[in-house]
Amino acid sequence: MVTSPHTLASEVGAKVLREGGDAIEAAVAIGATLAVTYPHFCGIGGDAIWMIADRGGRRATIMGIGQAPMRLPAYDGPIPLRGPASTASSACAVDAWRVALEFSVANWGGRRTLAELMEPAIGFAEEGFPLSPSQAFWTGFRKSDLPDWRGFGKTFLPGGEPPRPGQTFVQNELAESLRLIARNGPRDFYEGELAERLARGFAEAGSPLTAQDLKATRASLEEPVALNYRGLTLLAPPPPTQGIATLAIMGVLSRLDLASVEEGSVEYYHLCVEAVKQAFLDRGGIADPRAVCLPDDLWLGAELLDRKAAAIDRNRAMPWPAVFRTGDTVFFGATDAEGRSVSVLQSTYFDWGSGVVVGDTGVLWQNRGAAFSTDPRDPNVIAPAKRPFYTLNPGMALKDGMPRLIYGTQGADGQPQTLAVLLTRLIDYGLDPAEALARPRFLLGRTFSDSRDTLKLEASVDSAAFAALRRMGHETSVIDANSPLAGQAGAILIGDDGLIQGAHDPRSDGAAVGI
């Protein structure tokens, strides 16, 4: 089974599985397709985090995270959120595909080449595809900003206007760049012909990135972080990602008796929200462990989680402690006939990333570097070749050492929050993926359209729950039912009997496809 936020990408991945490919090969094909069909949320100018596990006990994280330039500009204030100055980190998604396929060959007997797996994506870029409602929405949402984005209009505003849903959308320059990668291999993006064209585009735009920064960019294979939850082993990527924040939320919830709490009740939402707050108290300390010393028990120590769970007042809300971070991404996952499984998030940080299309490559570059601080006292302060704090945290749960759940979501700050309700509904309440994904959600903090740090609940939450939560001290506000602000998640559940159930969020344009 595969799941992704775009039906074309899901079908591409399913075809790989039908033809005998493994889960990594299917996921690479999905990731390449999404880089074309979901350009507002991800692309080859962005990053990717992979979680991998199989029935043989192998487990790994691929950290496809770009790094800050080796030569930093002089910052006078925060790093800009858009424009050339926001292109303050390199892009590592393509090299993550390389590392994933090498893992597939070495451990799973993988045989498919990157060129083969990229063929559908190249076709969609050259010949076009029906534009998704999501892309049309985010183009329209940013319409007033688009004229200021370098090179953006030529690629993403055909005829000078935002395209309509269903309109055939072509990206010829991106197709040429994808062909260079397919023909010359993934490192062409970093030290080949495409790298040279990207470097020229950076210089023309005034980006701090150089050819040297591209050449130094490599994905790394690392150990995931783990936490026991109700007999399952939850896996998350290590720092500088916020995977440990997700695990900390679940660690707090593991100390609460959810069996006595009705799913969807006022108490359920209150406990989930308060667990998020407790975990987020320490999230600001997450940074690149290559640059900052991070004690292993700083977030997941048993005594710390005990104290956090005990600090929750079951009748009263705690003030929201977090600094808001925005961002968008795509989640996709796959599991094959041998139970080999992958969980992936691919992103350009904000919707439309930096807004900069680099030179004549058709590559929209991410603005992940804007996640750095310029405050020298901040653990996440920018430094040469440093990796920024990272919201991406795809997950996987193992039972008896074997993949049981594959899950992840779009949503920056909202990712750990969405995963908390998704995992409790799947594990504590036994819902199937489709039902768990369809149930109402919350989002704590600010959004693009609401700058208040309120507890935002989907309109499908019972009206009486709003009143009760307000009495407990939560400042609540309403977002639409099935709002994209509540995340676009996906999940695959592998049963003890081998039955696989999967779904993608009704808030997205995607689907799960089983074989």
Side-chain angles (χ1 to χ4, degrees), residues 417-436:
Q417 304 181 46
T418 295
L419 293 181
V421 292
L422 179 60
L423 288 172
T424 54
R425 285 165 172 166
L426 289 167
I427 298 170
D428 292 275
Y429 299 102
L431 300 183
D432 63 57
E435 181 63 21

Side-chain angles (χ1 to χ4, degrees), residues 324-409:
F324 174 70
R325 300 174 193 263
T326 187
D328 279 301
T329 180
V330 295
F331 165 75
F332 52 99
T335 188
D336 61 31
E338 302 300 321
R340 300 169 296 199
S341 302
V342 297
S343 179
V344 187
L345 283 174
Q346 202 164 264
S347 175
T348 47
Y349 195 32
F350 284 23
D351 60 283
W352 301 117
S354 66
V356 175
V357 177
V358 184
D360 61 355
T361 66
V363 177
L364 179 69
W365 209 260
Q366 66 180 356
N367 62 335
R368 180 69 61 175
F372 280 118
S373 170
T374 55
D375 182 347
R377 299 164 297 179
D378 193 316
N380 192 44
V381 65
I382 192 168
K386 186 177 179 181
R387 299 176 300 177
F389 168 85
Y390 227 76
T391 53
L392 305 191
N393 67 122
M396 199 176 296
L398 311 180
K399 183 178 182 182
D400 300 326
M402 295 184 287
R404 175 72 170 219
L405 278 169
I406 302 159
Y407 52 87
T409 185

Side-chain angles (χ1 to χ4, degrees), residues 150-345:
R150 185 182 180 93
F152 186 90
K154 182 174 73 167
T155 298
F156 295 106
L157 299 174
E161 291 294 327
R164 300 179 307 278
Q167 179 178 333
T168 299
F169 184 65
V170 176
Q171 300 167 83
N172 287 317
E173 289 184 342
L174 179 61
E176 185 178 349
S177 294
L178 293 173
R179 284 204 177 279
L180 287 173
I181 296 169
R183 183 173 70 237
N184 301 332
R187 291 303 301 174
D188 194 79
F189 187 89
Y190 302 97
E191 45 195 327
E193 181 180 345
L194 180 53
E196 292 175 3
R197 292 171 59 181
L198 288 167
R200 286 197 300 271
F202 291 141
E204 292 166 1
S207 166
L209 291 170
T210 66
Q212 184 184 21
D213 297 314
L214 290 174
K215 188 174 182 179
T217 301
R218 288 186 177 269
S220 58
L221 200 62
E222 302 184 21
E223 284 291 317
V225 185
L227 176 90
N228 182 273
Y229 185 83
R230 318 289 193 211
L232 297 178
T233 301
L234 305 184
L235 302 181
T241 81
Q242 66 173 344
I244 48 176
T246 296
L247 294 187
I249 295 169
M250 302 310 296
V252 172
L253 289 172
S254 73
R255 287 152 170 80
L256 305 177
D257 182 20
L258 291 186
S260 64
V261 176
E262 181 183 357
E263 189 279 320
S265 66
V266 171
E267 188 177 9
Y268 171 75
Y269 286 115
H270 175 72
L271 292 178
C272 287
V273 168
E274 295 305 297
V276 168
K277 291 176 181 177
Q278 289 292 330
F280 274 42
L281 285 171
D282 302 319
R283 194 182 66 144
I286 299 174
D288 188 350
R290 297 173 182 174
V292 179
C293 180
L294 302 176
D296 291 340
D297 61 351
L298 188 58
W299 293 276
L300 301 178
E303 291 185 5
L304 175 66
L305 294 176
D306 288 344
R307 289 199 303 272
K308 287 182 176 297
I312 291 176
D313 186 332
R314 298 182 83 107
N315 300 303
R316 193 71 189 166
M318 184 183 85
W320 173 230
V323 175
F324 174 70
R325 300 174 193 263
T326 187
D328 279 301
T329 180
V330 295
F331 165 75
F332 52 99
T335 188
D336 61 31
E338 302 300 321
R340 300 169 296 199
S341 302
V342 297
S343 179
V344 187
L345 283 174

